Amino acid sequence: MLLAKGIATIGAIREGGKAALARALAAIETAQDSEELATLLDEATANAKAHVLGVTGPPGVGKSTLMRALIAQGRALGLSVAVLAVDPSSQRTGGALLGDRTRLATDPEDDKLFVRSMAARDRLGGLSDHAVAAAVLMRAVADLVIVETVGIGQSESDVASVADTVLLCIQPGSGDSLQFMKAGVMELPDLVAVTKADMGERARRALADVEGALSLAARRGDGWRAPVVLVSATAGTGLEELAGAVGAHRCWLDEDRRLAAKRRAQALDWIADAVRQRWGREGLRRIQFLAGDAEEPFQAMLRINRKFELFG
């Protein structure tokens, strides 16, 4: 049996609450490459119900403070909220180095709020295959999922592989807007939050810089233009505007089956990335005839791995 007490379906995990979700997330690491886990994750893929908000930005930009406000908004609306905080890995233990569960200081008695820190492992601040699986599981159980990355290395692009809406946070006076523009990151966010709006003129200048960077970035092929919002989580300003921007993007995704198309593309990317990480470029070339159906990406990964292990 995959999980303790026979919990091996999404319905059972939903019924079992936080404890059942915690056991299921633990199984992602302990039962890796098992048929049972792949089946559970594919069931989760097919039964996604949450909107997934990816939050990224450099360390110190105020993501944790903003996330507390976003969590409070979601809970005030009666939504169950699951948070996946992807931190840099400890070189000694391989575990999550920063530990957002402590930084977020959430109420442990709230049975509709679940927070899990997970190490980036060897992904330089990005999302490991375990983090992708965790996000997939969470979005089948909660109403709102927030995935936070530390905003270094490749994490800005990695978070887009699981998020429906990518929120990029930028701090006034940091020069981030110029750096992101040079790195091409400004093509990725669905919305941008300039944090610490209480800094006044510096915040307004940063907003203008970001809007300029967005206007110079390559045009996105999907037609969405990312809005920029000034927020101060400590002062409580701009949060309604930010929630409105997230809601507008969600409505836009619901039109013309954009969300379904996006999630299908993400599933195919998970397969390709898993093969690339494990089998390299040659493996990626060979999966053209092995990839299988994006509706069951985790079983497809398992089949590919078994074929490669069998034939070399």
Side-chain angles (χ1 to χ4, degrees):
M1 193 64 66
L2 174 61
L3 303 178
K5 300 182 180 179
I7 298 174
T9 68
I10 294 304
I13 295 170
R14 289 172 178 170
E15 288 291 325
K18 293 168 70 171
L21 179 56
R23 288 193 292 269
L25 291 172
I28 289 173
E29 299 191 6
T30 60
Q32 187 176 12
D33 292 336
S34 72
E35 187 74 42
E36 294 88 351
L37 179 61
T39 299
L40 177 66
L41 293 174
D42 283 336
E43 183 189 359
T45 301
N47 290 277
K49 69 170 188 169
H51 185 76
V52 183
L53 176 63
V55 181
T56 190
V61 75
K63 294 191 299 296
S64 295
T65 304
L66 181 59
M67 285 174 62
R68 284 196 293 270
L70 293 171
I71 291 167
Q73 281 184 335
R75 292 297 296 117
L77 294 172
L79 304 177
S80 58
V81 181
V83 178
L84 177 63
V86 182
D87 287 331
S89 302
S90 166
Q91 294 299 311
R92 290 187 177 182
T93 67
L97 189 61
L98 301 181
D100 268 79
R101 279 175 292 184
T102 56
R103 292 208 307 273
L104 287 174
T106 53
D107 181 3
E109 300 301 317
D110 187 347
D111 62 356
K112 296 297 183 181
L113 173 60
F114 184 92
V115 180
R116 171 62 61 91
S117 292
M118 185 168 284
R121 298 183 181 273
D122 58 350
R123 295 303 294 266
L124 302 177
L127 268 64
S128 67
D129 53 352
H130 289 167
V132 170
V136 169
L137 198 55
M138 285 179 166
R139 77 180 188 184
V141 175
D143 299 317
L144 171 65
V145 174
I146 303 175
V147 179
E148 181 205 9
T149 66
V150 293
I152 58 176
Q154 63 194 39
S155 61
E156 290 90 356
S157 57
D158 272 9
V159 75
S161 70
V162 296
D164 302 321
T165 300
V166 176
L167 168 62
L168 175 63
C169 299
I170 292 177
Q171 178 177 315
S174 62
D176 290 332
S177 57
L178 177 59
Q179 294 302 315
F180 289 145
M181 181 180 67
K182 288 164 60 177
V185 176
M186 297 307 278
E187 301 168 27
L188 297 174
D190 300 301
L191 53 145
V192 179
V194 176
T195 61
K196 306 180 183 180
D198 48 301
M199 294 176 69
E201 180 57 34
R202 293 176 69 186
R204 289 187 289 274
R205 192 181 311 121
L207 181 139
D209 288 344
V210 172
E211 290 179 333
L214 285 168
S215 68
L216 292 173
R219 291 285 182 181
R220 289 172 45 147
D222 58 13
W224 173 261
R225 183 175 177 83
V228 185
V229 182
L230 270 175
V231 298
S232 172
T234 53
T237 58
L239 297 175
E240 290 188 7
E241 290 82 353
L242 181 60
V246 173
H249 186 250
R250 183 172 186 174
C251 290
W252 180 82
L253 285 172
D254 287 338
E255 297 172 359
D256 300 325
R257 293 187 57 80
R258 291 187 181 107
L259 180 59
K262 182 171 188 173
R263 287 182 170 176
R264 179 178 176 81
Q266 287 175 336
L268 292 174
D269 284 344
W270 302 336
I271 298 172
D273 188 63
V275 172
R276 185 187 301 108
Q277 291 295 317
R278 190 159 181 174
W279 303 103
R281 293 181 180 178
E282 177 60 18
L284 194 60
R285 184 187 68 80
R286 291 171 61 184
I287 67 165
Q288 300 306 316
F289 60 94
L290 295 175
D293 195 339
E295 301 303 319
E296 296 182 338
F298 295 93
Q299 292 184 70
M301 295 176 205
L302 202 58
R303 288 194 298 270
I304 292 168
N305 287 336
R306 287 175 177 173
K307 284 180 180 289
F308 283 176
E309 287 167 355
L310 180 63
F311 298 110

